[in-house]
Each structure stands twice: as C-alpha cells, then as structure tokens.
Amino acid sequence: MSSAWGNKVKISVFGESHGSAIGVVLDGAPAGLKLDMDELMLNMGRRAPGRDKAATQRKEADIPNIISGVLNGTTTGAPICCVIENTNKRSGDYGNLLTKPRPGHADYTGYVRYNGFSDIRGGGHFSGRLTAPIVFAGSICRQALKQNGIEIASHIYSIADIYDEPFEPVEIGHDLINRLNEKSFPLIDTDKEDKMRSVIENARLSGDSVGGIIECCAVGVKPGLGDPMFFGAENVISSVMFGVPAVKGIEFGAGFDMTKMRGSKSNDPFKYENGRVITTTNNNGGILGGITTGMPIIFRAAIKPTPSISQPQSTVDLQSGENATIEIIGRHDPCIASRASVVIESALALALINL
Ligand SMILES: Cc1cc2nc3c(=O)[nH]c(=O)nc-3n(C[C@H](O)[C@H](O)[C@H](O)COP(=O)(O)O)c2cc1C
C-alpha cells in the first residue's frame, strides 16, 4: 500500500481512523517560509468533525503536532512531519463491518486488495479522517503559493439539487476569496444556506445522506505551467483530487456543458489587456493543452453521498458466505461536501506547487 503523491513536493500520508494517530510527511517544501499557524488552524477547523451542525458529531481536536522541518515557526527545508492524534475513537461501532462490508465504502475492496489484513475500524486508512493530513500539508503549500500571488478558494456549488451561484469565470475578486476562506459552509449566495442545510437535515432524519459539488478556483496562476500530454495541469490536479475519498468526478471550466455549445461559444477569445494576454471568457477553466493560460483555474469536484447511512442495506457476510443485511451504527456526516471544501482547496495547493 502506498499513499505517497507528488513529484517536486511530495506527501506521504499515514495512519488509520481508529489507530493512535494519523499524519503526513511533506517533502520538498521551500525553506524560510514563516508559517501562519492561525490560518493553518482555521483550515484544519473547517475540515474537522463536530464543528458544523451539518457534519458528524464525532469531535476531534485535530491539533497538528509538528515534529520536524519547522524551527521557530519557519520551515527549514527538511521534510516536515506532522502527527495528529486520534482522540475520539469508538471502534465498537464497527464490529459488524469486519465481516459485512458497507455498501459504497471501501471495506470490501480493501478486504480483497489486502487479503483481509486492512484495518476496517472507522474505515481505517480509507477514512475521510485521512484528509486532515492533506489539509495540513496543503495549507503549508498554500501559504508558499500565496507569497507568489496565487490564491485559492472554493464554495459549495450544490447540495443535492440546490445550487449556489457559480464563480464569475474571468475575474474572481479578493473580497470573495477572503470571505469564502473563513467559512465552514462556504457559499457565494448565502441565501442558499438554509435550503441546503434543510436538505441535509432531512436526509439525516431519514437515516440517509446526500452529495454535492465543490467548485474550486485558483487566481494569480502564471500562464505556461503544465506539460502535454500526461502531466498537464488537468492531469496533475485530477490525480490528487481523486486521492480525496468520495470524489467521483471532476470537470474543468464549462466542463460537460461545453458539449452543448458550438465552438463559436466555447472558444475563449484572446485579448491584450494592459500588455497581458487574457481571454474574455473562460470556458476552458484556465487550462489549454494541459498548460495554464493565466486565467483563473476553475473546476468542480463531485462528492458522492456519505456511504455510511443508518438505514438497513443489503450486503454480504464474507465469513458465512451468505447474503446479509447491515445496519450501520456510528457517527457519520449526512453530507460530506461542506467538510470536503477545504480538502479540495488543499489538494489544489499540492497540485499547483508541483506544477
Ligand atoms: C471529509 C470527509 C469525510 C468523510 N466522512 C465519511 C463518513 O463519516 N462516513 C463514510 O461512510 N464516509 C465518509 N467519507 C467518504 C469515504 O471515506 C469514502 O466514500 C470511501 O473511502 C470510499 O471511497 P470512494 O468514495 O472515493 O470510492 C468522508 C470523506 C471525506 C472527504
């Protein structure tokens, strides 16, 4: 099993949801970066469980214990190792999963792939909890990118069939970016919050879950980053995005909607503005031929409904070899999307620093 990713700046994520700790080694981060720990902790808090009422009530402090690579609050250039203790485990809730895999989760595939040895408690290494180290490492990369004029933000584009406003594709203002970066339930049109929350609450009350879409952007990215054919910006971003559990799709710019346009509408016309080449539309989401155009990078990631729901579901009993029913006890998010937003932003930071 390998959970390492990256080329110039690498991460290696370790731990299990109900083990003693989880963490990450971040290799290749720049030296001399003065870490803004308040900002880093704000990001950790946006992902952490038990803070927002739409999320699971499993409470975790998620305090990163930095054990190498940072001296007096500044990165030294050596590998940064961070350990996050698991303080709130209830492995008893997962007893029946040892033989009955949860539909929609990785219990069955993990069991097959690792010959029954994978740690199934709380989803083990497949748990959404393993995104805390991604947020830690991504937040450091994000601070390095910010020093180079690159800013990242995301918002909940949809929950089930309730939609927020999309990003304005050509120009995304700093005020909006700053506002979204502070929220655990980030929305462009805040009037949508009540409707989205009531869809989530209705799902929870019926022992069910809902999915959503996170729209994410990066502004200030220089033109000319990325390589054709297999190491383009889309490839690198998608590769790390699918490391985020529950991400089932990604589209850049106008994405699938481009198939309904004519070329005369989908092409982004070029124009000089203050000596700089820009495009007057941004249907390609800031990437052409795998190479950044200098326009905002915009993509949407599809987050599926939380697999662990409390309604009875059909499964198999791997021990008896018979069909079975499973009722999942435990604390699960009725919707993953809000907590996933800062994870998607952090994953984008990891992709951009590699580009
Ligand atoms: C922030 C976050 C929290 C998650 N919380 C849960 C959860 O409480 N219960 C659950 O069943 N899945 C949760 N997941 C999703 C599962 O980890 C994921 O669906 C599973 O590992 C299978 O992987 P796949 O959906 O990518 O195929 C979470 C994912 C993220 C990103």
Side-chain angles (χ1 to χ4, degrees):
M1 191 186 288
S2 167
S3 294
W5 184 89
N7 182 16
K8 296 172 189 128
V9 178
K10 301 181 182 122
I11 53 166
S12 180
V13 178
F14 58 85
E16 288 86 22
S17 178
H18 289 205
S20 60
I22 54 173
V24 61
V25 177
L26 173 65
D27 211 12
L33 180 68
K34 176 121 192 68
L35 294 183
D36 180 340
M37 285 309 289
D38 290 341
E39 192 181 279
L40 196 147
M41 288 310 294
L42 178 77
N43 291 342
M44 296 295 288
R46 285 177 59 201
R47 192 222 69 91
R51 313 281 163 98
D52 191 274
K53 50 184 183 284
T56 169
Q57 292 313 302
R58 171 179 174 174
K59 273 206 168 57
E60 285 282 6
D62 277 1
I63 311 277
N65 180 12
I66 303 173
I67 59 172
S68 71
V70 179
L71 186 64
N72 299 326
T74 304
T75 59
T76 63
I80 299 171
C81 178
C82 154
V83 175
I84 303 164
E85 206 188 328
N86 292 326
T87 55
N88 191 341
K89 304 166 277 189
R90 284 205 330 216
S91 295
D93 288 348
Y94 294 86
N96 61 348
L97 307 182
L98 295 170
T99 57
K100 295 181 190 172
R102 284 172 292 177
H105 214 293
D107 305 336
Y108 172 67
T109 49
Y111 174 88
V112 174
R113 175 74 176 81
Y114 299 106
N115 307 316
F117 288 107
S118 59
D119 181 354
I120 221 163
R121 301 164 306 154
H125 193 66
F126 296 92
S127 166
R129 179 139 183 76
L130 273 290
T131 56
I134 293 179
V135 172
F136 172 83
S139 296
I140 293 181
C141 297
R142 198 166 168 175
Q143 292 185 14
L145 293 167
K146 204 170 173 182
Q147 287 195 344
N148 289 281
I150 297 170
E151 287 180 282
I152 291 172
S154 77
H155 68 113
I156 305 169
Y157 181 67
S158 69
I159 299 286
D161 57 357
I162 313 290
Y163 283 80
D164 189 12
E165 295 297 320
F167 277 126
E168 209 287 294
V170 174
E171 189 149 355
I172 302 166
H174 295 290
D175 290 350
L176 176 62
I177 290 174
N178 292 338
R179 175 167 75 75
L180 294 174
N181 279 341
E182 286 177 0
K183 300 279 181 203
S184 60
F185 203 93
L187 289 170
I188 294 177
D189 177 3
T190 50
D191 287 347
K192 297 288 163 57
E193 180 162 345
D194 288 349
K195 273 190 197 148
M196 286 185 177
R197 285 193 185 277
S198 88
V199 169
I200 295 171
E201 183 58 10
N202 284 340
R204 190 184 70 79
L205 290 172
S206 51
D208 217 334
S209 60
V210 281
I213 300 172
I214 300 299
E215 186 177 50
C216 188
C217 74
V219 299
V221 180
K222 283 189 296 195
L225 304 179
D227 291 303
M229 303 167 44
F230 305 116
F231 296 97
E234 286 146 326
N235 310 56
V236 175
I237 293 169
S238 303
S239 148
V240 67
M241 261 346 125
F242 283 112
V244 178
V247 169
K248 284 293 172 183
I250 186 165
E251 61 174 1
F252 289 85
F256 285 90
D257 274 350
M258 275 176 113
T259 61
K260 293 180 239 158
M261 299 175 185
R262 292 201 165 186
S264 53
K265 276 273 179 295
S266 68
N267 289 343
D268 298 314
F270 289 109
K271 179 187 158 187
Y272 273 115
E273 194 177 81
N274 304 323
R276 185 181 146 229
V277 176
I278 63 153
T279 59
T280 54
T281 57
N282 188 17
N283 292 316
N284 288 280
I287 302 167
L288 284 171
I291 300 169
T292 56
T293 62
M295 298 303 290
I297 291 182
I298 300 179
F299 68 89
R300 282 172 292 281
I303 314 287
K304 74 183 193 184
T306 318
S308 300
I309 55 172
S310 57
Q311 288 180 13
Q313 298 175 85
S314 297
T315 185
V316 290
D317 189 322
L318 295 166
Q319 210 160 49
S320 67
E322 285 169 3
N323 291 326
T325 303
I326 187 169
E327 284 187 47
I328 299 166
I329 322 159
R331 299 152 295 170
H332 298 279
D333 298 279
C335 179
I336 294 164
S338 57
R339 289 179 59 211
S341 64
V342 69
V343 183
I344 300 290
E345 294 161 24
S346 306
L348 178 61
L350 288 162
L352 290 179
I353 206 156
N354 272 283
L355 286 162

